Amino acid sequence: MADLRRTAGPGVTEWSEYDLEAYHITVSSQTKRKFFGVPRLPPPAHPSALVDFMDPPDPRIMSASTKKLLRYFGLANYPDYGQYRTGRVNFLAKLLETYGYNDGRRIVFTHHPLPLPICGVSSLVEMDVSVMDDAEILMVVQDKSPTRFDENMSQKWVDPEAIVIAGAIAAYAANNKVRVDMNLPPLDVITIPAITLEGLTPTFYKIPVTAELSEAVAGGTYPTSKTRVLRYFPKFTGDPRGSAIRNPKDRAEFLACLEAFKQFCGIEGAWTVHHALTRHRQASCGCG
């Protein structure tokens, strides 16, 4: 709302639903079909490490790549003391790499600090994972973890949704800065794909960031136009607030979502809406 107070402090890690409202940002949940724009998700791709990840074979015949991925998965699920956040972040980064998010010039980068001016004050928002190429940030990821202690020395939990939206706003500014440095005109709107993690349960987002929103956050003003963020929370059989993908069936669903999500990240060769609709029509008519 226009009358809500907007401040630069105590920092982006404190962003919450209040800050989203203060900058005229809403988050709307969608069905799988609406969010991905397809009647059904693709089957997971079949690099051997991913097939074995969904249904681990006898360790004696397991490939080295599968053993490494399952080792990351084990550290994320059953971390040693002090590894809760790093275990999940490293696992997701390795899973994205295994799934081709780092093909070509792209890299999967962890603990990525991004400049984000708020109310005229310079600050940083650190994304747990980002996917980037030579010129732009293609996707951002934020884990739900305690990041600080309050006055009673109790851990304070962050709001990963608000922080990943702040990260998308920072990515918008960073991407346009690269364009300006290359003598290209800045884009008025960029939709940044994003993921949040709670335990190992993902939520997917499409975050449209406009010049108006970016300038409003930088100047601490209320933008006239509403920003509507789209969200999809997969339906898993496991604990929705924990490590749902411990179940192999849920792992397959997660991987299918990751495959479909590539289309929003500008990844060449990604499974697209056109491919999905073609498969759906072929299945409906019994051909192909």
Side-chain angles (χ1 to χ4, degrees), residues 125-200:
V125 54
E126 182 178 292
M127 291 292 93
D128 287 321
V129 181
S130 66
V131 176
M132 55 193 295
D133 62 15
D134 297 339
E136 61 183 335
I137 298 164
L138 303 172
M139 186 177 81
V140 290
V141 180
Q142 180 66 35
D143 175 56
K144 179 178 180 179
S145 301
T147 58
R148 72 177 187 88
F149 293 90
D150 63 16
E151 61 275 9
N152 298 317
M153 296 305 293
S154 297
Q155 287 183 321
K156 289 281 288 185
W157 291 86
V158 302
D159 179 352
E161 184 169 272
I163 296 174
V164 86
I165 290 172
I169 297 169
Y172 168 91
N175 290 352
N176 267 335
K177 183 181 184 302
V178 171
R179 291 181 61 85
V180 171
D181 290 345
M182 296 172 64
N183 294 317
L184 296 171
L187 297 175
D188 184 62
V189 59
I190 302 174
T191 298
I192 306 292
I195 299 173
T196 60
L197 288 176
E198 182 169 0
L200 282 176

Side-chain angles (χ1 to χ4, degrees), residues 87-134:
R88 290 193 295 269
V89 168
N90 279 289
F91 165 69
L92 183 63
K94 183 58 61 176
L95 183 62
L96 291 173
E97 289 178 351
T98 305
Y99 218 60
Y101 275 72
N102 65 336
D103 287 352
R105 300 191 314 274
R106 294 184 302 277
I107 62 171
V108 176
F109 193 64
T110 59
H111 307 295
H112 190 178
L114 298 171
L116 180 65
I118 303 174
C119 299
V121 177
S122 297
S123 63
L124 290 173
V125 54
E126 182 178 292
M127 291 292 93
D128 287 321
V129 181
S130 66
V131 176
M132 55 193 295
D133 62 15
D134 297 339

